[in-house]
Amino acid sequence: MSALTPLLTASELFPRGVLPYLLGGLLVGLGAAVIYLATGIIAGASTFLESTLSYVSDVPRFNRFKYVRSRGWRLVFTAGIVSGAAVWGLVLAPDPGIWTTDVQWWRLLGGGFLVGVGTRLGKGCTSGHGVCGTGSLSNTSLVNVATFLTVAIGTAQLVQALGVSP
Amino acid sequence: MTGNDRSPLFLPVIYLGGLIFGFGLAISGMARPEVVLDFLQFDDLGLLFVMGGAAVVTGITFTVATRYLGDAPLTGREYTRRLKDFDRNVVIGGAIFGVGWGLSGICPGAAYASFGVGNYPILYAVAGMFLGAYAQGYWRARQSNDADAADATSG
């Protein structure tokens, strides 16, 4: 009985198992590691937003040297992310094909807006701070991750409690 | 780094890294907002293994590179940690990001990957992120102009 309890608990906490998560995480880290080892660049996904805005906006903030200089490779990095996901989702997955979300459009748009504001103000996102920052034990990143994780859990629980689904 | 001292392999390797990164995001399920929301609602804690697995790999890579390797082969850059400064905005920005992530289940890298699995409704989130990044940049540019003006009048 006492030996079974942890197993039952584990399957409740991980209804889809842990393997795809662990494998996916290791590959996400590997992608960042390949770029870092070859170029010395710490890859974050959210600076793409600002650097790409420099193509279409005159606002000086988006046209600072570091954004204009990096906007080319950031487009290539993002194209890589899109196509890498496509290779899995459309070709190699057990059930290949287009998948679409049921999360309502206003949640995506409003949430996306806040993600855009917050990652830029907070200097990074789940890849810059969450993967690369925590990997290098940066205090700034650890504080940022602890903050966004806590607030996101609170927000998601609140939205669920209000009966919004999906 | 002007572009002249970059190896011709620079962009192909960036693309390859992005490809592996996006492939991993798709396998892990993070490209699906539902999976992220399940995690935040404590229905499926698998995402801990995504973040943890990724951070272990980057952690080992950063440690080995900064201690034992010289310069990056394709750019000549030194392997440094390049830590970001801590200020109030790290916490405020993190909190705003948290509300957005909790509401939508989407963060930047995962959103691009989600588009890759054919999830076209995610363009609402991508559009939102660009609008948010624009609003943030526009607002802070104005704010710093105001601060400059205040400095000029007071100084």
Side-chain angles (χ1 to χ4, degrees):
Chain A
M1 181 68 196
S2 58
L4 276 176
T5 315
L7 286 174
L8 289 172
T9 315
S11 70
E12 273 169 32
L13 295 177
F14 303 100
R16 284 178 281 239
V18 298
L19 215 56
Y21 294 109
L22 183 60
L23 181 64
L26 293 174
L27 286 168
V28 167
L30 180 67
V34 163
I35 291 177
Y36 182 69
L37 286 174
T39 68
I41 290 170
I42 294 172
S46 56
T47 309
F48 167 75
L49 301 170
E50 273 160 320
S51 67
T52 303
L53 283 169
S54 74
Y55 284 111
V56 295
S57 167
D58 293 334
V59 175
R61 199 177 166 81
F62 302 126
N63 286 277
R64 287 187 293 188
F65 181 60
K66 63 173 177 174
Y67 295 142
V68 173
R69 181 183 59 172
S70 70
R71 63 186 184 182
W73 73 252
R74 288 186 193 279
L75 272 178
V76 172
F77 177 53
T78 301
I81 295 176
V82 172
S83 41
V87 169
W88 172 256
L90 307 181
V91 183
L92 297 178
D95 51 343
I98 284 181
W99 176 89
T100 55
T101 183
D102 290 326
V103 174
Q104 297 168 65
W105 69 271
W106 61 268
R107 290 181 73 174
L108 297 172
L109 185 66
F113 183 85
L114 294 171
V115 167
V117 172
T119 58
R120 301 334 301 139
L121 196 61
K123 309 176 192 182
C125 60
T126 27
S127 52
H129 279 310
V131 173
C132 295
T134 54
S136 58
L137 296 177
S138 150
N139 289 333
T140 301
S141 293
L142 292 172
V143 170
N144 184 269
V145 172
T147 307
F148 77 64
L149 211 49
T150 311
V151 174
I153 288 169
T155 304
Q157 306 265 358
L158 182 68
V159 170
Q160 187 184 36
L162 291 173
V164 181
S165 177
Chain B
M1 197 169 57
T2 57
N4 296 331
D5 48 358
R6 278 180 187 165
S7 156
L9 285 175
F10 177 77
L11 288 179
V13 167
I14 293 276
Y15 181 77
L16 175 70
L19 197 83
I20 300 170
F21 195 95
F23 190 83
L25 283 171
I27 288 190
S28 72
M30 270 195 86
R32 304 187 175 200
E34 280 88 342
V35 173
V36 176
L37 292 173
D38 278 352
F39 167 71
L40 297 174
Q41 292 159 3
F42 301 140
D43 293 326
D44 179 354
L45 301 188
L47 237 60
L48 289 174
F49 284 86
V50 184
M51 297 261 263
V56 166
V57 174
T58 56
I60 293 171
T61 307
F62 292 158
T63 307
V64 169
T66 51
R67 285 200 191 157
Y68 303 108
L69 302 179
D71 295 336
L74 301 189
T75 57
R77 275 188 184 222
E78 200 185 341
Y79 293 118
T80 58
R81 291 177 72 200
R82 274 189 288 282
L83 298 178
K84 289 171 181 165
D85 295 332
F86 181 80
D87 57 39
R88 210 168 42 141
N89 285 340
V90 170
V91 177
I92 300 172
I96 296 173
F97 172 31
V99 176
W101 198 37
L103 186 63
S104 64
I106 267 301
C107 59
Y112 316 147
S114 196
F115 186 65
V117 298
N119 182 19
Y120 56 88
I122 210 66
L123 291 176
Y124 280 115
V126 175
M129 292 191 306
F130 273 111
L131 288 171
Y134 184 81
Q136 192 274 156
Y138 186 80
W139 169 66
R140 285 179 87 188
R142 284 195 50 162
Q143 201 185 34
S144 62
N145 284 344
D146 292 347
D148 291 346
D151 284 347
T153 50
S154 65

